[in-house]
Amino acid sequence: MLKADQSVGAGADRVLYVLATLARHDGPLSIAALAEETGLAQSTLYRQVALLKRWGFVAEHDGEYGPGPLCVQLAWGFDQSSFLIHEAQPDMAALAAASGETIGLLVAVKDQAVCLDMVESQHPLRCSFTKGRGLPLARGASAKSLLAFMPLARLQAALAYLAAEAGVDAARLGKELDAIREQGYAVTDSEVDAGVWGVSVPIFQRAHQAVASITLMAPSTRAAQRPDALIEMTVAAARRITSKLQVH
């Protein structure tokens, strides 16, 4: 959840803050709910929402507000122009085919791990990412692999935020991240959703600083039959994507 703080100033910052809050929520919000989410005054929110509606970034239905049609155009444009997605897609598809499991490409955005792209498993029993949705950086293989390879200043800020807002034990999490850096990937089981196993491996454009992570997600019962093979395949896919990014 976003919270108002000193970084949310007047004008453009507030407009973008409101839009980001709507984009990250699972459904539309009333002005009262938006005020609770952001900490901004309702009078301010009415002005910001009116501006966003006028430009097509926000749509209203029965007094509730959500992302508007222009956001769809932005998302389509991002998919078409994203160098990272373009370079990662062939190896994501190959990994999904080889493993039979769901593959996601995730990046860290403020306090969340956001899914940029995904390839679904073909199994009847499968796990699924939701493209465009974010999960808190506190739990799960994707979040921890992204945290572990952040620049130090950004990592310290993220840990401080998680400790204050999500009640995370920053010292314990820090030790987990040390272990992830040592082995080069993160593995978790049932941390975000019960019965879901995941392995996440960072993708680098510069040394030691992840631009994204590729994550394989599977039901725990199926992953338990071959965890080492799934880890090895995911590590290999991440290395291939990294090598392509570092050529450019």
Side-chain angles (χ1 to χ4, degrees), residues 29-132:
L29 293 169
S30 66
I31 289 294
L34 195 53
E36 184 176 346
E37 289 280 329
T38 63
L40 297 173
Q42 291 193 23
S43 57
T44 298
L45 289 169
Y46 276 114
R47 292 194 299 272
Q48 309 301 342
V49 166
L51 176 62
L52 290 166
K53 279 179 61 181
R54 192 158 64 244
W55 279 90
F57 286 105
V58 164
E60 179 185 3
H61 180 68
D62 291 338
E64 293 187 324
Y65 302 89
L70 202 59
C71 293
V72 178
Q73 289 183 308
L74 282 174
W76 181 87
F78 176 79
D79 283 350
Q80 298 305 305
S81 63
S82 172
F83 174 71
L84 174 60
I85 291 176
H86 176 76
E87 294 296 326
Q89 278 178 335
D91 288 293
M92 291 175 64
L95 178 57
S99 67
E101 304 299 350
T102 298
I103 310 302
L105 179 69
L106 294 97
V107 296
V109 180
K110 289 182 71 65
D111 61 323
Q112 293 196 323
V114 177
C115 180
L116 295 186
D117 201 15
M118 60 171 293
V119 181
E120 285 270 19
S121 167
Q122 297 304 307
H123 285 289
L125 176 62
R126 60 182 182 266
C127 308
S128 182
F129 293 97
T130 302
K131 187 175 175 179

Side-chain angles (χ1 to χ4, degrees), residues 4 91 98 196 209:
D91 288 293
V196 176
Q209 293 185 15

Side-chain angles (χ1 to χ4, degrees), residues 120-199:
E120 285 270 19
S121 167
Q122 297 304 307
H123 285 289
L125 176 62
R126 60 182 182 266
C127 308
S128 182
F129 293 97
T130 302
K131 187 175 175 179
R133 283 282 148 233
L135 294 170
L137 276 174
R139 299 188 309 278
S142 300
K144 289 179 178 178
S145 67
L146 290 167
L147 279 172
F149 293 93
M150 279 183 178
L152 181 59
R154 188 178 177 196
L155 172 60
Q156 290 174 336
L159 290 176
Y161 176 87
L162 291 170
E165 297 293 332
V168 171
D169 184 337
R172 179 179 176 181
L173 179 56
K175 291 180 180 178
E176 287 186 65
L177 299 181
D178 287 340
I180 291 167
R181 279 188 287 271
E182 181 71 23
Q183 67 184 9
Y185 57 86
V187 176
T188 61
D189 195 343
S190 300
E191 277 200 3
V192 177
D193 295 307
V196 176
W197 180 94
V199 54

